[in-house]
Amino acid sequence: MTSPAAGKPIRTAITDEDGIDFAIIELFFFAYRDFTSDPDQILADYGFGRAHHRVLHFVNRRPGLTVAELLDVLKITKQSLARVLKQLIDTDHIVQVQGPRDRRQRELYPTAKGRALALALARPQSRRIRAALEDSGTTERATIERFLEAMVNPELRAQIDIVPAQTSGKNHGDH
Amino acid sequence: MTSPAAGKPIRTAITDEDGIDFAIIELFFFAYRDFTSDPDQILADYGFGRAHHRVLHFVNRRPGLTVAELLDVLKITKQSLARVLKQLIDTDHIVQVQGPRDRRQRELYPTAKGRALALALARPQSRRIRAALEDSGTTERATIERFLEAMVNPELRAQIDIVPAQTSGKNHGDH
DNA sequence: AAATTACGTCAATAGTACTGACATAATTCC
DNA sequence: GGAATTATGTCAGTACTATTGACGTAATTT
C-alpha cells in the first residue's frame, strides 16, 4: 500500500491559516465547472466542444475580426484553431470574407445560424448569472464585474474593452 | 472565399439587448483563463498538468478521502483519474492508506512534499484574489463568496461545505 | 455461497492543445 | 521591380485530459 521510502501521510486539512484563500480558490473552480457545463450539453448535440463555443462567441461579439486577432484573444496557436474554425465554416455557422483593405486577411462573421447558436449557448449561462446575483443578494452586478475584471492580467484587460459592455452606448469604431 | 450556399455574414455585434449578460460571461472566461495560468507554469516544471493540480488540491483539502469520493468531486471517470493519481503517488506527493473500516478503500493523503506543492500552486492564485479584491475596492469578500457559491449547481453545493471555509473555526469531524 | 462494492488496469478513441516546417498570396520595404 | 515580411492555411508528429467498455481482484454484504 505504502511504498518503502514513501513520505508519511499528513492527516490535517490544508486551511486558510497559511494566508491562502482556499475558500475562493475552490469556489472559483466549482463555479466555472458548472458555468461551462450548461453549454457543453448543447454543444454535444452538434458534435462540437468548448473550443467551438469560444470561437463562436468571439466572432459574434466582434464580427469581422481576423484570424490573427482571434488567436490573440483565445491565446491559442493557429494549428489549434484550424480544425475548429474549419468545422464551424463547413457547418455554415461562420463565414469568411476577404479583408477589404488587406486581401490576405480573412474577416470572420457569424451567419444567422451561427448567431442563433451563440445565443442558445449563452442563454443558460446568463440565466445562471442572473439567478446567482439574485440568490446572493448582490444587487449591484458592478461589484462582481469589477472583481472579475481585476482578476484578469492587467496587460490583457484591453481585450475586454473592445466591445462596449452594456452601460456605455456607442463606440464600435471599426470602419 | 464564401461557398455558394453559405449564409450571409451578420455584421452587427451581439449585445446584451437580447437580455443576455455577455459582459459577465466574457469576464468569467478571461478571469478563469488567467486564474489557472499561474499554477500552469509551475506545473510544467514537474511535467504535470491541470488534472494533477486538482487532485493535489482536494487531497490536501480533505485528507483521507477515498478514490470514489475524489471521482465524485472532480466529476471525472476512474480511468481518467488513474494515470494522474499514479504519477502523484510515484513521485511521492500522495500516499495511499488502506481504509480502517473497509480495507477495500484507499484513503488518500498528501505527503510533506505534496503539501508543499499544493501550497506553492495556491500561492499565486491567492495573491491574485487578494489583489483583485483590493483593486476592485471590494472590502467584503463575502459578496464574492456568495456570488460564486450561487453559481454552483444547488445539488452540488454540498461538496463545498465539507471543508469549513474560513470563518467558522473548528469542525473537522472526520474521525 | 453469491452478489455487490472499491479499486486497478488494459485497450481503443476523442478533443484540445502543442511545436516545427512548409506553401501561397498579398503587402510593404528598399 | 525584386526582396522581405505578413496573413493565412496545412501537414506531420506529439502530449494531456478525457471518454467508454471490459475484465480482474480483493473485501464486504446479503
Side-chain angles (χ1 to χ4, degrees):
Chain A
M1 188 101 298
T2 46
S3 59
K8 283 204 297 272
I10 295 179
R11 293 178 171 269
T12 57
I14 212 169
T15 63
D16 296 10
E17 74 222 2
D18 310 84
I20 293 196
D21 203 334
F22 281 109
I24 289 188
I25 288 176
E26 209 158 290
L27 281 170
F28 213 49
F29 165 72
F30 284 123
Y32 196 76
R33 184 192 63 178
D34 291 350
F35 175 70
T36 52
S37 71
D38 294 330
D40 279 356
Q41 302 203 328
I42 299 171
L43 288 161
D45 299 337
Y46 293 77
F48 290 162
R50 228 171 260 185
H52 299 85
H53 185 188
R54 291 197 288 267
V55 170
L56 202 52
H57 170 87
F58 285 108
V59 169
N60 271 282
R61 282 289 271 182
R62 300 128 149 94
L65 52 37
T66 64
V67 171
E69 286 166 349
L70 185 53
L71 292 175
D72 191 52
V73 171
L74 297 178
K75 293 269 170 294
I76 59 172
T77 61
K78 192 173 33 161
Q79 294 80 352
S80 298
L81 176 64
R83 176 187 53 91
V84 169
L85 183 56
K86 192 175 186 331
Q87 288 176 330
L88 286 169
I89 291 170
D90 290 347
T91 54
D92 195 35
H93 289 94
I94 290 178
V95 287
Q96 290 180 317
V97 176
Q98 204 171 50
R101 288 176 295 273
D102 187 333
R103 290 185 302 173
R104 289 172 305 180
Q105 293 183 332
R106 307 282 185 269
E107 293 185 345
L108 303 173
Y109 294 93
T111 62
K113 192 177 171 187
R115 171 63 54 101
L117 180 53
L119 280 170
L121 292 169
R123 211 164 282 131
Q125 294 191 310
S126 185
R127 224 181 287 129
R128 182 185 290 269
I129 290 168
R130 193 175 341 112
L133 289 172
E134 286 169 7
D135 287 9
S136 65
T138 305
T139 47
E140 28 176 20
R141 26 166 301 138
T143 304
I144 305 298
E145 274 188 31
R146 278 199 306 269
F147 169 74
L148 290 176
E149 180 161 354
M151 286 287 284
V152 179
N153 285 348
E155 70 273 18
L156 301 174
R157 275 176 214 157
Q159 297 181 335
I160 301 173
D161 302 316
I162 294 175
V163 172
Q166 77 296 334
T167 46
S168 60
K170 43 176 59 57
N171 51 328
H172 336 67
D174 354 31
H175 50 322
Chain B
M1 188 99 299
T2 47
S3 60
K8 283 204 296 273
I10 294 179
R11 294 180 171 269
T12 57
I14 213 168
T15 64
D16 295 12
E17 74 221 2
D18 309 84
I20 293 197
D21 203 333
F22 282 109
I24 289 187
I25 288 176
E26 209 158 289
L27 281 170
F28 214 52
F29 165 72
F30 284 123
Y32 196 76
R33 184 192 64 179
D34 291 350
F35 174 70
T36 52
S37 70
D38 294 329
D40 279 355
Q41 302 202 330
I42 299 170
L43 288 160
D45 299 337
Y46 292 78
F48 290 162
R50 229 171 257 186
H52 299 84
H53 185 188
R54 292 198 287 267
V55 171
L56 202 52
H57 171 87
F58 285 108
V59 169
N60 271 282
R61 281 289 270 183
R62 299 127 149 94
L65 50 36
T66 64
V67 172
E69 286 166 349
L70 185 53
L71 291 175
D72 191 52
V73 172
L74 297 178
K75 293 267 171 294
I76 59 172
T77 60
K78 190 174 36 161
Q79 294 80 351
S80 298
L81 175 63
R83 176 189 52 91
V84 169
L85 183 56
K86 193 175 186 330
Q87 288 176 330
L88 287 169
I89 291 169
D90 289 347
T91 53
D92 195 35
H93 289 93
I94 291 179
V95 288
Q96 290 180 316
V97 176
Q98 203 170 52
R101 288 175 294 274
D102 188 335
R103 290 186 302 174
R104 288 173 306 180
Q105 292 183 334
R106 307 281 186 268
E107 293 185 344
L108 303 174
Y109 293 93
T111 61
K113 193 177 171 187
R115 172 63 55 101
L117 181 52
L119 280 170
L121 292 170
R123 210 164 283 132
Q125 293 190 309
S126 186
R127 223 181 288 130
R128 182 185 291 268
I129 290 168
R130 192 173 343 111
L133 288 172
E134 287 169 9
D135 288 7
S136 65
T138 306
T139 46
E140 28 175 22
R141 26 167 300 140
T143 303
I144 305 298
E145 274 189 31
R146 277 199 305 270
F147 170 74
L148 290 176
E149 180 160 354
M151 287 286 284
V152 180
N153 285 349
E155 69 274 18
L156 301 174
R157 273 176 216 159
Q159 297 181 334
I160 300 173
D161 302 316
I162 294 175
V163 172
Q166 77 297 334
T167 46
S168 59
K170 42 176 60 56
N171 50 327
H172 336 66
D174 354 31
H175 48 326

